[in-house]
Amino acid sequence: MASKEDLFAEAAKHWDLERLYQAFAEAKRQISPRSRRGLTETEKLYLRGLLSGCSPAEIARQLFQSSKSAEVYLCKTLYQYVKKLADVPNEPVGNWRNICDRLQEAGYKTQSAPEFKINNSVPTEALVKIVGIGVIEKNTISIDINLRLEFPSTSEAPKTEDLDKDG
């Protein structure tokens, strides 16, 4: 079994955990001033689980707990902190997936790397196709170009980035 510190470690790849821990600790302090300072290791663990895209039942399964106990724990702790952070104390969380959405909207998600990386390589094949030329005004010409670049890949099939789509 993985150590508790290693569980849900993928959350650190996409979320600013230190900022989140601080923000949640402040929300916790505001909700319950006499509670222990900062987040407990269990609160951090559950938060990382949610940020990793795990449902309360999946978190409970990895921690060898019942799903009902995980749901109760989340309702009494992290869900309350999120509502405080989002300044919606009377609004229900609704679904555990809403946690990530609210935290992403608040700017806690780090910029993820693009799915396609060029790896500083030169295209193996390039296709440039002019699809339209027109005069818009007296001194303005419009040229529509489709561009297709093929890059070498470390996988067996070459990856292609097709830029001939709008946006």
Side-chain angles (χ1 to χ4, degrees), residues 35-64:
S35 68
R36 177 180 165 220
R37 295 193 76 134
L39 295 181
T40 66
E41 291 307 311
T42 303
E43 288 169 328
K44 290 178 181 179
L45 185 63
Y46 272 81
L47 178 58
R48 287 195 313 269
L50 291 173
L51 297 174
S52 295
C54 296
S55 70
E58 292 168 323
I59 295 169
R61 193 170 27 259
Q62 292 213 30
L63 298 175
F64 302 103

Side-chain angles (χ1 to χ4, degrees), residues 112-156:
S112 58
E115 290 181 23
F116 176 78
K117 293 183 180 178
I118 297 177
N119 296 328
N120 297 325
S121 59
V122 187
T124 57
E125 187 176 324
L127 172 66
V128 178
K129 181 177 167 186
I130 298 175
V131 291
I133 299 177
V135 177
I136 297 175
E137 294 176 9
K138 192 175 184 180
N139 297 327
T140 307
I141 297 175
S142 169
I143 302 174
D144 295 323
I145 300 173
N146 284 350
L147 179 64
R148 181 180 172 95
L149 303 173
E150 196 169 299
F151 295 90
S153 174
T154 55
S155 64
E156 293 175 22

